[in-house]
């Protein structure tokens, strides 16, 4: 089944403890992206990747890192999480053409205390 | 600057009534616009996109470059249409911009 998977789905952690949220897709998509969803703010793009080893900042990249070593994986790294990074995170993937449909993962709910 | 504006946080209508979810954009260039929908406890999914000019689940959206709008319309709302709707723009480079979303509530 074609899909985007994220792990973990739920995570509660403490300030400053490094964490990684994994994202994987099996559709051979070149483009992958991370978003955070907050009430009243909608979805905001954190980082995106056009292909392996090519990444760029979205609207809210501060406090996050990404890497794209393989086409199918695009992990999101929080080196020193803070409470303002408590949010619902979505990974998405698509082909690179304009007008492309993005396929979303199920979301990861992160709470930083 | 590239921006997507959805002026309504919540739109409440009765079943069978017409629905119009507003979306305005700011973009220098030829825009590619989308509507995504998020049903309760489900992941975001594409509803329709400007490039396809399609009608999905009775919804349509027309790009009006003069008014920089891409409003989503449906002539007769159904209860199963209740969801969160996001307008989105394929931005410069490979960025992707979402609006803040409009929650549609269709009452019986």
């Amino acid at each position: 089944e074609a899909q985007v998977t994220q792990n973990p789905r739920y995570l509660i952690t403490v300030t400053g403890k490094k964490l990684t949220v994994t994202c994987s897709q099996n559709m051979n998509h070149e483009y992958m992206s991370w978003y955070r969803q907050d009430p009243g703010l909608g979805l905001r793009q954190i980082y995106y990747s056009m292909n392996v080893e090519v990444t760029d900042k979205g609207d809210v990249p501060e406090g996050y890192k990404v890497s794209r070593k393989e086409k199918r994986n695009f992990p999101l790294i929080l080196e020193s999480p803070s409470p303002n990074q408590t949010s619902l995170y979505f990974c998405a993937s698509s082909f690179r053409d304009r007008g492309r449909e993005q396929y979303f993962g199920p979301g990861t709910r992160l709470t930083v205390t | 600057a590239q921006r997507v504006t959805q002026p309504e946080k919540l739109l409440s209508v009765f079943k069978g009534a017409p629905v119009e979810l507003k979306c305005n954009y700011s973009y220098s260039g030829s825009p590619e616009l989308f509507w995504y929908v998020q049903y309760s406890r489900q992941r975001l999914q594409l509803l329709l996109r400007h490039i396809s000019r399609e009608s999905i689940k009775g919804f349509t959206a027309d790009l009006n470059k003069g008014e920089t709008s891409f409003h989503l319309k449906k002539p007769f709302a159904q209860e199963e249409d209740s969801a969160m709707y996001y307008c989105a723009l394929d931005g410069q480079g490979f960025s992707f911009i979402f609006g803040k979303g409009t929650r549609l509530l269709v009452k019986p």
Side-chain angles (χ1 to χ4, degrees):
Chain A
E1 180 191 354
Q3 60 180 342
V4 178
T5 56
Q6 293 179 228
N7 282 293
R9 295 288 311 280
Y10 302 91
L11 180 59
I12 301 174
T13 189
V14 296
T15 299
K17 186 176 180 183
K18 181 179 178 180
L19 66 91
T20 299
V21 183
T22 64
C23 172
S24 184
Q25 51 92 7
N26 62 1
M27 294 171 277
N28 201 34
H29 286 159
E30 300 97 354
Y31 184 92
M32 297 186 75
S33 182
W34 277 103
Y35 301 89
R36 59 177 289 173
Q37 184 182 40
D38 301 289
L41 297 178
L43 279 89
R44 293 178 293 168
Q45 194 172 39
I46 303 171
Y47 269 97
Y48 58 94
S49 169
M50 292 73 77
N51 214 327
V52 175
E53 302 291 2
V54 184
T55 62
D56 207 348
K57 296 177 181 178
D59 284 335
V60 288
E62 295 78 18
Y64 304 94
K65 282 178 57 177
V66 292
S67 68
R68 186 93 182 270
K69 293 184 169 53
E70 302 168 284
K71 196 172 188 178
R72 63 181 293 126
N73 297 322
F74 190 46
L76 179 70
I77 303 157
L78 284 73
E79 298 242 334
S80 184
S82 62
N84 64 12
Q85 293 178 298
T86 292
S87 187
L88 180 59
Y89 291 87
F90 288 99
C91 180
S93 74
S94 71
F95 292 112
R96 234 177 2 186
D97 323 74
R98 286 184 65 75
R100 62 203 184 274
E101 174 179 0
Q102 288 195 71
Y103 294 84
F104 282 81
T108 295
R109 186 166 293 282
L110 172 66
T111 302
V112 183
T113 60
Chain B
Q2 47 191 16
R3 187 169 55 245
V4 175
T5 303
Q6 294 179 252
E8 305 135 330
K9 285 186 179 178
L10 172 67
L11 184 62
S12 182
V13 301
F14 285 102
K15 177 182 173 182
V19 170
E20 183 178 50
L21 296 157
K22 290 185 167 50
C23 172
N24 288 91
Y25 67 91
S26 173
Y27 183 70
S28 58
S30 185
E32 292 297 341
L33 288 151
F34 307 78
W35 278 98
Y36 280 81
V37 61
Q38 188 175 30
Y39 300 103
S40 180
R41 294 188 176 82
Q42 294 186 26
R43 62 185 74 189
L44 261 83
Q45 56 187 283
L46 178 69
L47 180 62
L48 55 81
R49 48 188 158 176
H50 158 246
I51 197 171
S52 302
R53 301 182 185 277
E54 56 207 342
S55 172
I56 303 292
K57 298 184 179 181
F59 285 98
T60 59
D62 290 317
L63 177 62
N64 185 324
K65 290 187 178 180
E67 296 182 359
T68 59
S69 68
F70 190 58
H71 302 328
L72 183 68
K73 299 178 183 179
K74 184 170 183 176
F76 307 103
Q78 303 299 314
E79 288 182 69
E80 55 266 30
D81 296 329
S82 294
M84 194 75 181
Y85 290 80
Y86 291 97
C87 184
L89 169 70
D90 198 340
Q92 289 164 354
F94 285 91
S95 65
F96 208 80
I97 312 297
F98 280 88
K100 293 184 179 180
T102 298
R103 181 168 297 283
L104 175 63
L105 178 62
V106 181
K107 296 178 285 189

